[in-house]
Amino acid sequence: MWELHRVAELPGGSTQLFVGLHLIHEVTSPQAFAALEEMGLHVRSPERTLATVDHIVPTISQERPLADPLAEEMLTTLERNCANYGINLYGLGSGKQGIVHVIAPELGLTQPGMTVACGDSHTSTHGAFGAIAFGIGTSQVRDVLASQSISINKLKVRSIWVDGQLNKGVFAKDLILHVIRKLGVKGGVGYAYEFGGPAIEKLSMEERMTICNMAIEGGARCGYINPDEITFRYLKGRLHSPVGEAWDLAVNWWKSLCTDINASFDDQIRFDASDITPTVTWGITPGQSISIDENMPYPESLSQSERLIAEEAYKYMDLEPGKPIYGVPVDVCFIGSCTNGRLSDLRAAAAIAKGRQVAPGVKAFVVPGSEKVGIAAEEQGLHKIFQDAGFEWRKAGCSMCLAMNPDRLEGNQISASSSNRNFKGRQGSSIGRTLLMSPAMVAAAAIKGQITDVRAFLPKSLENLL
Amino acid sequence: MSKVSSYPQGVIQQVLGRCIVMQGDDIDTDRIIPARFLKCVSFKDLGAQVFADDRKELQGVHPFDRKENIGASILIVNDNFGCGSSREHAPQALMRWGIRALIGQSFAEIFYGNCLALGIPCATASAKEINQIQKAIELDPSQVWELNLTKKNIQSSLGSWDVAMESGPLEMLLKGRWDATSQLISQEAFLKQTEKKLPYLNNFTK
Ligand code: SF4
């Protein structure tokens, strides 16, 4: 696949790689367009570029002009750039807007065998389709606009093989948090993570996206999963998927991409999915997590390199080593993001919320990953389930994943969040605290008002609802 | 001198100027440029916002505020500088403040690449040497230094130290080929060839 996209070798030893799909959004593109203009260049392949707005959009009222003038300026800048260069923009109210990593797959834009680039580190998500997908900086966004290609070094590949099957109440999010916990947040530097094995093969496309989405949190620039029947079934009939004869030819080609079972990897690691339990982060990196059944580690029990950051984490989080994460009270519960803002995520959370009430004093809200997800959820009545339980039902965007819009923590509030980063200050308050977990675990935490074990909340009908 | 203050262009063999010391390991891009400054459509104001929160906390004694450091162009840091998010706003902010080269024990991968794309060399030296360089600079911040990429050293009348740089990026700087854009667009013929053989650009008939 790499070979097929290789345009040339560049001085300095890097490869010029053709970009099949370029995704842009309002935060990392304006400077790239400005640079293009300064250099007197045009957009080489506007038809291979797609734009949307996600990072700064408010999720309550999306009336234009937006209340925040800076946010409004970013939106109008993107709109102007797209109009000038003939780039397709799925904007607010188009029915197709949403987080860039949610909409490209659901519109059938992301396909096996493609290279996908976007000025956002969670572009690794698209690797779930058997695509080579990586996040890029703004200079590279400019490069892709100008040449539909980038200069990149080939990555090593680590196979992450997962046997067994996820237990009830354990989700893809738990699996990837577990992997990052074991391999560390720097463990994947220089690697692409290729996930495979019986447990991965059983996952739906949405679950696979959750896994690849967070490969970057383990330090790996790309996540990858071989395409299979589940992939093809997901893609069939989507807006930008091939149709008619091209569909059959496409499936044949896609199948040929993954015949290489004996591929030799630079490294190989095995996990067993049945060992994994609901997992929650307690610290300030996505690698600092434990099972809901465990107690938080004593810094002394950790390796030298982990100890310092663990001490820093305890200080920042105001949590105590040796205590369980179970029972820690929460102020805010956020369900959404490109990790867990898809329909199956909302269904899992709704299954827990159904017929229950959010604990007094807890602010809980649900932000669908895209307008399409929002519409589908409403068709299934999920918004009613959430609202009846006391959750707010919002409009699509990144929201409190990084809090560039009005959704943010205040002071040292602590959140249960289905997003992907628990860095200091990530959710909009420089002393705000974030606990990462699966959307169902967030819903359970909202009901209980504290971190709890979702397995005690599983409805009998969960199977149907999921 | 306008040569120092204009943004990097073409062949980069040396960086001349005063040095500024920024101590500490793992200085992340959130510290270099806090997230709220990402809400902008141009990089042009970032120079003033570099290290905004750290500077506010230190009320004027932050290295980037100290009078003797204004106008410095070589930043001397410690280990794993520039870790965290991929935001190019971080090297942009440094560059717009005036930084034209960095020397440190190590740099985060994406930050390093972002710097290279701007024509800003990130050279490395051992912890011990970095320490010595930082001490020498603090003795006399007014000293002008030369980072020489051909000789791979940094020197002034206060002393000379060897620095290291990977051969690929080094060659790109020395030959003026760090600006990827012009190279990439110059391969139009190969780009067309690649497009011709990609199944998904040809209705999957290839
Ligand atoms: S949801 Fe969060 S991680 Fe995903 S693209 Fe938006 S800000 Fe980035």
Side-chain angles (χ1 to χ4, degrees):
Chain A
M1 220 190 290
W2 180 272
E3 278 312 303
L4 207 51
H5 291 86
R6 192 161 59 95
V7 176
E9 293 303 319
L10 298 172
S14 60
T15 300
Q16 178 171 3
L17 203 67
F18 184 84
V19 173
L21 174 64
H22 184 208
L23 304 167
I24 60 174
H25 59 78
E26 74 281 22
V27 175
T28 53
S29 72
Q31 298 87 355
F33 281 108
L36 214 61
E37 244 155 68
E38 247 171 60
M39 298 166 87
L41 298 169
H42 64 284
V43 176
R44 183 185 182 275
S45 316
E47 74 289 353
R48 303 239 46 93
T49 310
L50 181 93
T52 192
V53 289
D54 50 11
H55 282 66
I56 52 129
V57 300
T59 56
I60 298 179
S61 164
Q62 298 184 333
E63 288 286 307
R64 301 288 298 273
L66 300 177
D68 175 354
L70 279 175
E72 176 64 25
E73 190 192 357
M74 295 184 84
L75 242 57
T76 45
T77 304
L78 184 67
E79 286 160 353
R80 195 181 52 237
N81 285 328
C82 287
N84 281 348
Y85 293 102
I87 292 169
N88 203 352
L89 165 68
Y90 289 147
L92 294 175
S94 64
K96 302 178 193 116
Q97 171 269 346
I99 306 171
V100 62
H101 311 307
V102 175
I103 68 163
E106 77 184 2
L107 296 172
L109 284 158
T110 304
Q111 295 169 15
M114 264 186 185
T115 43
V116 182
C118 172
D120 189 285
S121 57
H122 292 95
T123 310
S124 59
T125 311
H126 308 263
F129 287 79
I132 301 180
F134 39 79
I136 54 180
T138 298
S139 290
Q140 289 179 309
V141 174
R142 175 198 65 202
D143 291 350
V144 181
L145 289 172
S147 74
Q148 203 57 33
S149 63
I150 61 163
S151 153
I152 189 171
N153 289 317
K154 200 166 175 175
L155 294 164
K156 292 184 283 181
V157 181
R158 172 177 293 150
S159 152
I160 297 187
W161 187 265
V162 193
D163 288 311
Q165 189 171 357
L166 290 173
N167 291 312
K168 254 192 171 175
V170 182
F171 299 86
K173 178 66 156 288
D174 300 301
L175 197 165
I176 188 65
L177 282 173
H178 181 81
V179 168
I180 298 168
R181 174 190 181 184
K182 296 296 174 190
L183 303 183
V185 289
K186 288 184 199 153
V189 172
Y191 283 99
Y193 277 178
E194 174 166 346
F195 300 92
I200 301 291
E201 282 159 21
K202 283 189 204 90
L203 298 179
S204 71
M205 279 320 297
E206 300 200 343
E207 293 172 303
R208 293 179 189 185
M209 285 188 252
T210 301
I211 305 270
C212 289
N213 173 276
M214 286 194 71
I216 184 77
E217 304 310 329
R221 198 161 179 196
C222 302
Y224 179 90
I225 295 175
N226 264 327
D228 60 9
E229 288 302 327
I230 292 177
T231 321
F232 310 149
R233 222 176 303 136
Y234 176 96
L235 283 171
K236 180 124 204 192
R238 303 229 168 223
L239 184 63
H240 293 277
S241 293
V243 286
E245 199 190 340
W247 170 262
D248 297 328
L249 292 168
V251 171
N252 278 340
W253 180 55
W254 294 341
K255 282 184 179 160
S256 74
L257 295 172
C258 49
T259 47
D260 208 1
I261 296 171
N262 299 320
S264 63
F265 296 104
D266 299 287
D267 191 28
Q268 204 159 2
I269 294 177
R270 291 182 94 100
F271 289 92
D272 193 322
S274 42
D275 294 343
I276 300 170
T277 44
T279 301
V280 181
T281 64
W282 53 269
I284 52 173
T285 81
Q288 291 173 318
S289 70
I290 50 169
S291 156
I292 189 71
D293 303 323
E294 283 176 89
N295 294 339
M296 290 179 270
Y298 288 100
E300 309 85 72
S301 69
L302 300 172
S303 71
Q304 174 71 33
S305 60
E306 289 172 33
R307 195 176 310 154
L308 285 174
I309 182 93
E311 279 164 359
E312 192 183 338
Y314 281 120
K315 214 166 105 197
Y316 182 83
M317 298 297 291
D318 196 20
L319 292 172
E320 222 180 295
K323 293 263 168 70
I325 194 78
Y326 184 97
V328 169
V330 295
D331 304 304
V332 177
C333 291
F334 169 63
I335 296 171
S337 89
C338 60
T339 312
N340 284 125
R342 298 184 178 80
L343 189 61
S344 58
D345 300 313
L346 304 196
R347 284 168 65 99
I352 305 300
K354 192 168 186 175
R356 299 192 168 102
Q357 281 300 312
V358 170
V362 172
K363 176 191 169 76
F365 63 117
V366 184
V367 182
S370 70
E371 290 182 350
K372 263 182 161 353
V373 170
I375 292 164
E378 288 180 8
E379 279 168 7
Q380 298 182 7
L382 301 187
H383 65 309
K384 284 291 291 170
I385 296 179
F386 284 123
Q387 284 168 338
D388 289 347
F391 288 80
E392 291 174 47
W393 175 250
R394 299 288 189 81
K395 294 191 161 65
C398 293
S399 181
M400 215 179 68
C401 174
L402 93 165
M404 274 185 84
N405 77 343
D407 306 329
R408 48 187 58 230
L409 294 180
E410 304 287 341
N412 73 344
Q413 277 185 329
I414 189 160
S415 81
S417 179
S418 72
S419 55
N420 47 49
R421 282 185 175 155
N422 52 344
F423 296 164
K424 287 180 176 179
R426 170 77 177 184
Q427 292 188 300
S429 160
S430 61
I431 51 171
R433 299 168 289 163
T434 303
L435 307 174
L436 302 176
M437 62 201 80
S438 74
M441 280 285 280
V442 175
I447 305 297
K448 194 83 181 288
Q450 46 182 248
I451 300 302
T452 186
D453 189 338
V454 69
R455 290 173 296 186
F457 286 72
L458 294 180
K460 288 207 185 65
S461 63
L462 180 69
E463 240 95 59
N464 305 334
L465 200 64
L466 293 180
Chain B
M1 209 169 75
S2 69
K3 196 150 184 262
V4 177
S5 61
S6 70
Y7 297 141
Q9 273 177 354
V11 172
I12 294 168
Q13 286 172 332
Q14 43 132 246
V15 176
L16 259 181
R18 279 177 288 123
C19 288
I20 171 169
V21 173
M22 182 80 203
Q23 264 167 358
D25 292 347
D26 304 316
I27 293 181
D28 60 58
T29 50
D30 261 289
R31 285 178 62 189
I32 301 172
I33 187 82
R36 63 179 181 282
F37 298 115
L38 269 49
K39 228 192 254 177
C40 60
V41 293
S42 151
F43 288 133
K44 75 180 192 302
D45 297 329
L46 292 179
Q49 296 156 349
V50 71
F51 288 113
D53 289 349
D54 285 10
R55 286 162 77 176
K56 201 168 143 208
E57 205 179 311
L58 289 178
Q59 301 185 351
V61 296
H62 188 278
F64 279 72
D65 281 324
R66 265 185 247 144
K67 228 168 104 216
E68 66 271 23
N69 287 335
I70 308 299
S73 37
I74 305 173
L75 177 61
I76 316 290
V77 298
N78 294 91
D79 203 21
N80 196 26
F81 187 82
C83 57
S85 111
S86 67
R87 63 187 67 155
E88 186 173 317
H89 303 68
Q92 284 279 356
L94 291 167
M95 180 179 84
R96 280 157 203 274
W97 187 88
I99 299 302
R100 295 291 174 270
L102 288 91
I103 300 175
Q105 199 183 326
S106 79
F107 297 90
E109 198 180 318
I110 299 183
F111 177 84
Y112 183 97
N114 282 340
C115 283
L116 185 63
L118 297 175
I120 295 180
C122 294
T124 55
S126 71
K128 199 173 130 205
E129 288 161 335
I130 292 289
N131 213 312
Q132 292 168 347
I133 300 172
Q134 290 182 336
K135 283 219 171 92
I137 293 161
E138 273 163 0
L139 279 179
D140 178 10
S142 69
Q143 189 65 228
V144 171
W145 295 74
E146 178 191 5
L147 170 66
N148 190 311
L149 294 182
T150 319
K151 293 192 210 146
K152 290 202 261 188
N153 71 0
I154 175 159
Q155 62 167 329
S156 76
S157 59
L158 295 175
S160 168
W161 282 269
D162 287 344
V163 296
M165 216 173 159
E166 278 173 63
S167 57
L170 181 64
E171 193 189 308
M172 288 160 81
L173 290 163
L174 290 177
K175 297 216 168 115
R177 293 218 189 117
W178 49 272
D179 162 24
T181 317
S182 51
Q183 283 180 65
L184 293 173
I185 50 179
S186 72
Q187 308 283 4
E188 185 53 36
F190 289 117
L191 279 163
K192 287 226 167 68
Q193 270 179 25
T194 308
E195 284 175 319
K196 280 208 190 99
K197 60 180 196 205
L198 278 170
Y200 59 86
L201 296 183
N202 296 279
N203 262 317
F204 299 95
T205 51
K206 290 281 145 103

